[in-house]
Amino acid sequence: MKTMLITGASTGIGAATARRAVAAGYRVALAARSKDKLDSLVTELGQDSAMAVACDVSDYAAQQAMTAAVLERFGSIDVVFANAGVGSNSSGTAKGDVEDWHRMVTTNVLGVMYTVKATHDAVVAAKGHYVLTGSIAGRKVLAGSIYGATKWAITGYGQNLREELRDDGVKVTLIEPGMVDTPFFDQRKPDAMQADDVAGAVLYAISQPENVLTGEIWIEPMKR
């Protein structure tokens, strides 16, 4: 039985992916800042299949502790879904909030890099798979979007990481969703995709044969 570590697992895409992963036979390690929500998800998925770890991904030491806890419980980390991310409360540069920028960069960019570094040895040992949550915002120009800039960083990082780890037998996939109706937004987005739609793309990527690498999946709602 393989183990999948998911950051940003308490709600939305992370939680939906955890449900799909357990249904596919994975054990899941669920990480987020909010342990209360994680504990509820563990109860839903079953104690034998899931564990919860409180972790702020912007803290590298916390990510190291998270990794150690997962290895102690499950013995391996085969798939890492680096999914934790935050949005912006301000718009553009001139009207932007520098504290908001700092929060986005440390979570959306450094947080992903910290996740990869903290889990690197375990994933290489397993010849495993990294899945990074990018965004369509990281593949096209959006006027003034600092959030988009953090996702452009993940596009570049994910592509470079893929080549860094290729000879180790480790796969790297970028999942690049458009608008998703999740708690990430304050208001409902009725024409957007559902979190489970993106979770399906994640499970597709990690279910491919050993000789097949799904490098990127761009997924968006039909209705704009």
Side-chain angles (χ1 to χ4, degrees):
M1 183 177 283
K2 292 185 177 181
T3 300
M4 183 175 187
L5 167 63
I6 304 171
T7 65
S10 59
T11 59
I13 294 169
T17 301
R19 294 183 179 99
R20 284 218 178 210
V22 169
Y26 282 85
R27 299 173 300 196
V28 292
L30 311 173
R33 287 177 296 179
S34 174
K35 193 165 183 298
D36 290 346
K37 292 179 181 177
L38 293 178
D39 288 339
S40 296
L41 187 54
V42 168
T43 299
E44 173 190 337
L45 298 175
Q47 298 284 344
D48 292 339
S49 299
M51 65 176 290
V53 185
C55 180
D56 179 348
V57 297
S58 67
D59 182 342
Y60 180 60
Q63 295 233 39
Q64 289 178 300
M66 170 194 71
T67 300
V70 176
L71 290 173
E72 181 178 2
R73 169 74 187 278
F74 289 138
S76 68
I77 300 175
D78 302 276
V79 179
V80 173
F81 183 24
N83 172 67
V86 294
S88 177
N89 295 320
S90 57
S91 178
T93 302
K95 297 180 180 178
D97 181 338
V98 295
E99 293 300 322
D100 197 32
W101 298 349
H102 184 270
R103 182 174 61 96
M104 280 194 292
V105 170
T106 55
T107 302
N108 298 0
V109 183
L110 285 176
V112 171
M113 295 177 181
Y114 290 167
T115 299
V116 173
K117 185 170 178 61
T119 59
H120 174 273
D121 291 350
V123 174
V124 169
K127 293 189 180 299
H129 200 145
Y130 283 106
V131 182
L132 314 183
T133 299
S135 174
I136 285 177
R139 294 305 302 271
K140 64 182 182 180
V141 175
L142 300 173
S145 177
I146 306 299
Y147 170 79
T150 68
K151 290 302 184 178
W152 273 104
I154 292 305
T155 298
Y157 177 64
Q159 291 175 352
N160 293 349
L161 182 67
R162 186 182 305 130
E163 298 313 309
E164 178 182 352
L165 295 178
R166 188 183 292 268
D167 289 343
D168 292 317
V170 174
K171 298 181 182 183
V172 177
T173 300
L174 280 162
I175 300 291
E176 298 164 334
M179 186 71 72
V180 183
D181 185 19
T182 74
F184 188 85
F185 298 104
D186 294 332
Q187 296 181 336
R188 294 295 306 274
K189 305 290 182 182
D191 293 329
M193 296 180 293
Q194 298 302 307
D196 188 62
D197 299 326
V198 183
V202 176
L203 267 292
Y204 171 83
I206 66 175
S207 67
Q208 296 309 295
E210 185 177 337
N211 66 318
V212 175
L213 168 61
T214 304
E216 299 183 58
I217 299 180
W218 171 305
I219 178 171
E220 64 179 340
M222 275 292 290
K223 198 168 183 179
R224 293 183 178 178

Coordinates of all heavy atoms in Angstrom, one line a residue, residues 127-191:
K127 N 11.2 6.1 -5.4 CA 11.1 6.4 -6.9 C 9.6 6.9 -7.1 O 8.9 6.3 -7.9 CB 11.4 5.2 -7.8 CG 12.9 4.8 -7.7 CD 13.2 3.7 -8.8 CE 14.7 3.3 -8.7 NZ 15.6 4.4 -9.0
G128 N 9.3 7.9 -6.3 CA 7.9 8.3 -6.2 C 7.5 9.4 -7.2 O 8.1 9.5 -8.3
H129 N 6.6 10.3 -6.7 CA 6.0 11.2 -7.6 C 5.7 12.5 -6.8 O 5.1 12.4 -5.7 CB 4.7 10.6 -8.1 CG 4.1 11.2 -9.3 ND1 3.4 10.5 -10.3 CD2 4.1 12.5 -9.8 CE1 3.0 11.3 -11.3 NE2 3.4 12.5 -11.0
Y130 N 6.0 13.6 -7.3 CA 5.6 14.9 -6.8 C 4.5 15.5 -7.7 O 4.7 15.6 -8.9 CB 6.8 15.9 -6.8 CG 7.7 15.7 -5.6 CD1 9.0 15.1 -5.9 CD2 7.4 16.1 -4.3 CE1 9.9 14.9 -4.8 CE2 8.3 15.9 -3.3 CZ 9.5 15.3 -3.5 OH 10.4 15.1 -2.5
V131 N 3.5 16.0 -7.1 CA 2.4 16.7 -7.8 C 2.3 18.1 -7.2 O 2.1 18.2 -6.0 CB 1.1 16.0 -7.7 CG1 0.0 16.8 -8.5 CG2 1.2 14.5 -8.2
L132 N 2.5 19.1 -8.0 CA 2.5 20.5 -7.5 C 1.3 21.2 -8.0 O 1.0 21.1 -9.2 CB 3.8 21.3 -8.0 CG 5.1 20.6 -7.8 CD1 6.2 21.5 -8.3 CD2 5.4 20.1 -6.4
T133 N 0.6 21.9 -7.1 CA -0.6 22.7 -7.6 C -0.1 24.0 -8.1 O 0.3 24.9 -7.4 CB -1.5 23.0 -6.4 OG1 -2.0 21.7 -6.0 CG2 -2.7 23.8 -6.9
G134 N -0.1 24.1 -9.5 CA 0.2 25.4 -10.1 C -1.2 26.1 -10.4 O -2.1 26.0 -9.5
S135 N -1.3 26.7 -11.5 CA -2.6 27.4 -11.8 C -2.5 27.9 -13.3 O -1.4 28.2 -13.8 CB -2.7 28.6 -10.9 OG -3.9 29.4 -11.3
I136 N -3.7 28.0 -13.9 CA -3.7 28.7 -15.1 C -3.2 30.1 -15.0 O -2.6 30.7 -15.9 CB -5.2 28.7 -15.7 CG1 -5.5 27.3 -16.2 CG2 -5.4 29.8 -16.8 CD1 -6.9 27.2 -16.7
A137 N -3.3 30.7 -13.8 CA -2.7 32.0 -13.5 C -1.2 32.0 -13.6 O -0.6 33.1 -13.7 CB -3.1 32.5 -12.1
G138 N -0.6 30.9 -13.6 CA 0.8 30.7 -13.8 C 1.2 30.4 -15.2 O 2.4 30.0 -15.4
R139 N 0.3 30.5 -16.1 CA 0.6 30.2 -17.5 C 0.1 31.2 -18.5 O 0.3 31.1 -19.7 CB -0.1 28.8 -17.9 CG 0.4 27.6 -17.2 CD 1.9 27.5 -17.4 NE 2.4 27.4 -18.7 CZ 2.4 26.2 -19.4 NH1 2.2 25.1 -18.9 NH2 2.8 26.3 -20.7
K140 N -0.6 32.3 -18.0 CA -1.0 33.4 -18.8 C -0.9 34.7 -18.1 O -0.9 34.7 -16.8 CB -2.4 33.1 -19.4 CG -3.5 33.1 -18.4 CD -4.8 32.8 -19.1 CE -6.0 32.8 -18.1 NZ -7.3 32.5 -18.8
V141 N -0.9 35.8 -18.8 CA -0.7 37.1 -18.2 C -2.1 37.6 -17.6 O -3.1 37.6 -18.3 CB -0.2 38.1 -19.2 CG1 -0.1 39.5 -18.6 CG2 1.2 37.7 -19.7
L142 N -2.0 38.0 -16.3 CA -3.2 38.6 -15.7 C -2.7 39.9 -15.1 O -1.9 40.0 -14.2 CB -3.7 37.7 -14.5 CG -4.2 36.3 -15.0 CD1 -4.5 35.4 -13.7 CD2 -5.4 36.4 -15.9
A143 N -3.3 41.0 -15.6 CA -2.8 42.3 -15.2 C -2.7 42.5 -13.7 O -3.7 42.3 -13.0 CB -3.8 43.4 -15.8
G144 N -1.5 42.8 -13.2 CA -1.3 43.1 -11.9 C -1.3 42.0 -10.9 O -1.3 42.2 -9.7
S145 N -1.4 40.8 -11.3 CA -1.7 39.6 -10.4 C -0.4 39.2 -9.7 O 0.4 38.5 -10.3 CB -2.3 38.5 -11.1 OG -2.5 37.4 -10.2
I146 N -0.2 39.5 -8.4 CA 1.0 39.0 -7.7 C 0.8 37.6 -7.4 O 1.7 36.8 -7.4 CB 1.1 39.8 -6.4 CG1 1.2 41.3 -6.7 CG2 2.4 39.4 -5.6 CD1 2.4 41.8 -7.5
Y147 N -0.5 37.2 -7.1 CA -0.8 35.7 -7.0 C -0.3 35.0 -8.2 O 0.3 33.9 -8.1 CB -2.3 35.5 -6.7 CG -2.7 34.1 -6.8 CD1 -2.5 33.2 -5.7 CD2 -3.3 33.6 -7.9 CE1 -2.8 31.9 -5.8 CE2 -3.7 32.2 -8.0 CZ -3.4 31.4 -6.9 OH -3.8 30.1 -7.0
G148 N -0.7 35.5 -9.4 CA -0.3 34.9 -10.6 C 1.2 34.7 -10.7 O 1.7 33.7 -11.2
A149 N 2.0 35.7 -10.2 CA 3.4 35.7 -10.3 C 3.9 34.5 -9.4 O 4.9 33.9 -9.8 CB 4.0 37.0 -9.8
T150 N 3.3 34.3 -8.3 CA 3.7 33.2 -7.4 C 3.5 31.8 -8.2 O 4.3 30.9 -8.0 CB 3.1 33.1 -6.1 OG1 1.7 32.8 -6.2 CG2 3.2 34.5 -5.3
K151 N 2.4 31.8 -8.9 CA 2.2 30.5 -9.7 C 3.0 30.4 -10.9 O 3.4 29.3 -11.3 CB 0.7 30.5 -10.1 CG -0.2 30.3 -8.9 CD 0.1 29.0 -8.1 CE -0.8 28.7 -6.9 NZ -0.5 27.4 -6.2
W152 N 3.5 31.5 -11.5 CA 4.5 31.5 -12.5 C 5.8 30.9 -12.0 O 6.5 30.1 -12.6 CB 4.8 32.8 -13.1 CG 3.9 33.3 -14.3 CD1 2.9 34.1 -14.2 CD2 3.9 32.8 -15.6 NE1 2.3 34.3 -15.4 CE2 2.9 33.5 -16.3 CE3 4.8 31.9 -16.3 CZ2 2.7 33.3 -17.7 CZ3 4.6 31.7 -17.7 CH2 3.5 32.4 -18.3
A153 N 6.1 31.2 -10.7 CA 7.3 30.7 -10.1 C 7.1 29.2 -9.9 O 8.1 28.4 -10.1 CB 7.5 31.3 -8.7
I154 N 5.9 28.7 -9.6 CA 5.7 27.2 -9.5 C 5.8 26.5 -10.8 O 6.3 25.4 -10.9 CB 4.4 26.9 -8.7 CG1 4.5 27.4 -7.3 CG2 4.1 25.5 -8.8 CD1 5.6 26.8 -6.5
T155 N 5.3 27.2 -11.9 CA 5.5 26.6 -13.2 C 7.0 26.4 -13.5 O 7.4 25.3 -13.9 CB 4.9 27.5 -14.3 OG1 3.5 27.7 -14.0 CG2 5.1 27.0 -15.7
G156 N 7.8 27.4 -13.3 CA 9.2 27.3 -13.5 C 9.9 26.3 -12.6 O 10.7 25.4 -13.1
Y157 N 9.5 26.3 -11.4 CA 10.2 25.4 -10.4 C 9.8 24.0 -10.7 O 10.6 23.1 -10.7 CB 9.7 25.8 -9.0 CG 10.2 24.8 -7.9 CD1 11.6 24.7 -7.7 CD2 9.4 24.0 -7.2 CE1 12.1 23.8 -6.8 CE2 9.9 23.1 -6.2 CZ 11.2 23.0 -6.1 OH 11.7 22.1 -5.1
G158 N 8.5 23.7 -11.0 CA 8.1 22.4 -11.3 C 8.8 21.8 -12.5 O 9.2 20.6 -12.6
Q159 N 8.9 22.6 -13.6 CA 9.6 22.1 -14.8 C 11.1 21.8 -14.5 O 11.6 20.8 -15.0 CB 9.4 23.2 -15.9 CG 8.0 23.3 -16.4 CD 7.8 24.4 -17.4 OE1 8.7 25.2 -17.7 NE2 6.7 24.4 -18.0
N160 N 11.7 22.7 -13.8 CA 13.1 22.5 -13.4 C 13.3 21.3 -12.5 O 14.2 20.5 -12.7 CB 13.7 23.7 -12.8 CG 13.8 24.9 -13.7 OD1 13.6 24.7 -14.9 ND2 14.1 26.1 -13.2
L161 N 12.4 21.1 -11.5 CA 12.4 20.0 -10.6 C 12.3 18.7 -11.4 O 12.9 17.7 -11.1 CB 11.4 20.1 -9.6 CG 11.3 19.0 -8.5 CD1 12.5 19.1 -7.6 CD2 10.0 19.2 -7.6
R162 N 11.4 18.7 -12.4 CA 11.2 17.5 -13.2 C 12.5 17.0 -13.8 O 12.8 15.8 -13.8 CB 10.1 17.8 -14.3 CG 9.7 16.6 -15.1 CD 8.7 16.9 -16.2 NE 7.6 17.7 -15.6 CZ 7.1 18.8 -16.1 NH1 7.7 19.4 -17.1 NH2 6.1 19.4 -15.5
E163 N 13.3 17.9 -14.3 CA 14.5 17.5 -14.9 C 15.6 17.1 -13.9 O 16.4 16.2 -14.1 CB 15.0 18.6 -15.8 CG 14.1 18.9 -17.0 CD 13.6 17.6 -17.7 OE1 14.5 16.8 -18.1 OE2 12.4 17.5 -17.9
E164 N 15.5 17.8 -12.7 CA 16.5 17.5 -11.6 C 16.3 16.0 -11.2 O 17.2 15.3 -10.8 CB 16.3 18.4 -10.5 CG 17.1 18.2 -9.3 CD 16.9 19.1 -8.1 OE1 16.1 20.1 -8.3 OE2 17.5 18.9 -7.0
L165 N 15.0 15.6 -11.1 CA 14.7 14.3 -10.5 C 14.5 13.2 -11.5 O 14.3 12.0 -11.1 CB 13.5 14.4 -9.6 CG 13.6 15.3 -8.4 CD1 12.3 15.4 -7.6 CD2 14.7 14.9 -7.5
R166 N 14.5 13.5 -12.8 CA 14.2 12.5 -13.8 C 15.2 11.3 -13.7 O 14.7 10.1 -13.8 CB 14.3 13.1 -15.2 CG 13.9 12.2 -16.3 CD 14.1 12.9 -17.7 NE 13.2 14.0 -17.8 CZ 12.0 13.9 -18.4 NH1 11.5 12.8 -18.8 NH2 11.3 15.0 -18.6
D167 N 16.5 11.5 -13.5 CA 17.4 10.4 -13.5 C 17.3 9.6 -12.2 O 17.8 8.5 -12.1 CB 18.9 10.9 -13.6 CG 19.2 11.4 -15.0 OD1 18.4 11.0 -16.0 OD2 20.1 12.1 -15.2
D168 N 16.6 10.1 -11.2 CA 16.3 9.4 -9.9 C 15.1 8.5 -10.1 O 14.7 7.8 -9.1 CB 16.2 10.4 -8.8 CG 17.5 11.1 -8.4 OD1 18.5 10.4 -8.4 OD2 17.4 12.3 -8.2
G169 N 14.4 8.6 -11.2 CA 13.2 7.8 -11.4 C 12.0 8.4 -10.7 O 11.0 7.7 -10.5
V170 N 12.1 9.7 -10.3 CA 11.0 10.4 -9.7 C 10.2 11.3 -10.7 O 10.8 12.0 -11.4 CB 11.5 11.3 -8.5 CG1 10.4 12.1 -7.9 CG2 12.1 10.5 -7.4
K171 N 8.9 11.2 -10.7 CA 8.1 11.9 -11.6 C 7.6 13.3 -10.9 O 7.5 13.3 -9.7 CB 6.8 11.1 -12.0 CG 7.1 9.9 -12.7 CD 5.8 9.2 -13.1 CE 6.0 7.8 -13.8 NZ 4.7 7.2 -14.2
V172 N 7.5 14.3 -11.8 CA 7.0 15.6 -11.3 C 5.9 16.0 -12.2 O 6.1 16.1 -13.5 CB 8.1 16.6 -11.2 CG1 7.5 18.0 -10.8 CG2 9.2 16.2 -10.3
T173 N 4.7 16.3 -11.7 CA 3.5 16.7 -12.4 C 3.1 18.1 -11.9 O 2.9 18.3 -10.7 CB 2.4 15.7 -12.3 OG1 2.8 14.5 -12.8 CG2 1.2 16.2 -13.1
L174 N 2.8 19.0 -12.8 CA 2.1 20.3 -12.5 C 0.7 20.1 -12.8 O 0.3 19.8 -13.9 CB 2.7 21.4 -13.3 CG 4.1 22.0 -12.9 CD1 4.7 22.8 -14.0 CD2 3.8 22.9 -11.7
I175 N -0.2 20.4 -11.8 CA -1.6 20.5 -12.0 C -2.0 21.9 -12.1 O -1.7 22.7 -11.1 CB -2.4 19.8 -10.9 CG1 -2.0 18.3 -10.8 CG2 -3.9 19.9 -11.1 CD1 -2.5 17.4 -11.9
E176 N -2.6 22.4 -13.2 CA -2.8 23.8 -13.4 C -4.3 24.1 -13.6 O -4.8 24.1 -14.7 CB -2.0 24.2 -14.6 CG -0.5 24.1 -14.4 CD 0.3 24.1 -15.6 OE1 -0.2 23.8 -16.7 OE2 1.5 24.4 -15.5
P177 N -5.0 24.2 -12.5 CA -6.5 24.4 -12.6 C -6.9 25.9 -12.9 O -6.1 26.8 -12.5 CB -7.0 24.0 -11.3 CG -5.9 24.2 -10.3 CD -4.6 24.1 -11.1
G178 N -8.0 26.0 -13.5 CA -8.6 27.3 -13.6 C -9.5 27.5 -12.4 O -9.2 27.0 -11.3
M179 N -10.6 28.3 -12.5 CA -11.4 28.6 -11.4 C -12.1 27.3 -10.8 O -12.7 26.5 -11.5 CB -12.5 29.6 -11.8 CG -13.4 30.1 -10.7 SD -12.5 31.3 -9.6 CE -12.4 32.7 -10.7
V180 N -11.9 27.2 -9.5 CA -12.5 26.1 -8.8 C -13.3 26.6 -7.6 O -12.9 27.5 -6.9 CB -11.4 25.1 -8.2 CG1 -12.0 23.9 -7.5 CG2 -10.4 24.7 -9.3
D181 N -14.5 26.1 -7.4 CA -15.4 26.5 -6.4 C -15.0 25.9 -5.1 O -15.5 24.8 -4.7 CB -16.9 26.2 -6.7 CG -17.9 26.7 -5.7 OD1 -17.5 27.6 -5.0 OD2 -19.0 26.2 -5.7
T182 N -14.1 26.5 -4.3 CA -13.6 26.0 -3.1 C -13.6 27.1 -2.0 O -13.9 28.3 -2.3 CB -12.2 25.5 -3.2 OG1 -11.3 26.6 -3.3 CG2 -12.0 24.6 -4.4
P183 N -13.4 26.7 -0.7 CA -13.3 27.8 0.3 C -12.1 28.8 0.1 O -12.0 29.7 0.9 CB -13.1 26.9 1.6 CG -13.7 25.6 1.3 CD -13.4 25.4 -0.2
F184 N -11.3 28.5 -0.9 CA -10.3 29.5 -1.3 C -10.9 30.9 -1.5 O -10.3 31.9 -1.3 CB -9.5 29.0 -2.5 CG -8.3 29.7 -2.9 CD1 -7.1 29.5 -2.3 CD2 -8.3 30.7 -3.9 CE1 -5.9 30.1 -2.7 CE2 -7.2 31.4 -4.3 CZ -6.0 31.1 -3.7
F185 N -12.1 30.9 -2.0 CA -12.8 32.1 -2.4 C -13.9 32.4 -1.3 O -14.5 31.5 -0.8 CB -13.5 32.0 -3.8 CG -12.5 31.8 -4.9 CD1 -12.3 30.6 -5.5 CD2 -11.7 32.9 -5.3 CE1 -11.4 30.4 -6.5 CE2 -10.8 32.7 -6.4 CZ -10.7 31.4 -6.9
D186 N -14.1 33.7 -1.1 CA -15.1 34.1 -0.1 C -16.5 33.9 -0.6 O -17.5 33.7 0.2 CB -14.9 35.6 0.3 CG -13.6 35.8 1.0 OD1 -13.1 34.9 1.7 OD2 -13.1 37.0 0.9
Q187 N -16.7 33.9 -1.9 CA -18.1 33.8 -2.5 C -18.1 32.5 -3.4 O -17.1 32.2 -4.0 CB -18.5 35.0 -3.2 CG -18.6 36.2 -2.4 CD -19.1 37.5 -3.1 OE1 -18.8 37.6 -4.3 NE2 -19.6 38.4 -2.4
R188 N -19.3 31.9 -3.5 CA -19.4 30.7 -4.4 C -19.2 31.1 -5.8 O -19.5 32.2 -6.3 CB -20.8 30.2 -4.2 CG -21.2 29.6 -2.9 CD -20.3 28.3 -2.6 NE -20.4 27.3 -3.6 CZ -21.3 26.4 -3.7 NH1 -22.3 26.3 -2.8 NH2 -21.3 25.5 -4.6
K189 N -18.7 30.2 -6.6 CA -18.4 30.3 -8.0 C -19.2 29.3 -8.8 O -18.6 28.2 -9.1 CB -16.9 30.2 -8.3 CG -16.0 31.1 -7.4 CD -16.1 32.6 -7.8 CE -15.2 33.5 -7.0 NZ -15.3 34.9 -7.4
P190 N -20.4 29.6 -9.1 CA -21.3 28.5 -9.6 C -20.9 28.0 -11.0 O -21.2 26.8 -11.3 CB -22.7 29.2 -9.7 CG -22.4 30.7 -9.7 CD -21.1 30.8 -8.9
D191 N -20.2 28.7 -11.8 CA -19.7 28.2 -13.1 C -18.4 27.6 -13.0 O -17.8 27.2 -14.1 CB -19.7 29.4 -14.1 CG -21.1 29.9 -14.4 OD1 -22.1 29.1 -14.3 OD2 -21.3 31.1 -14.6

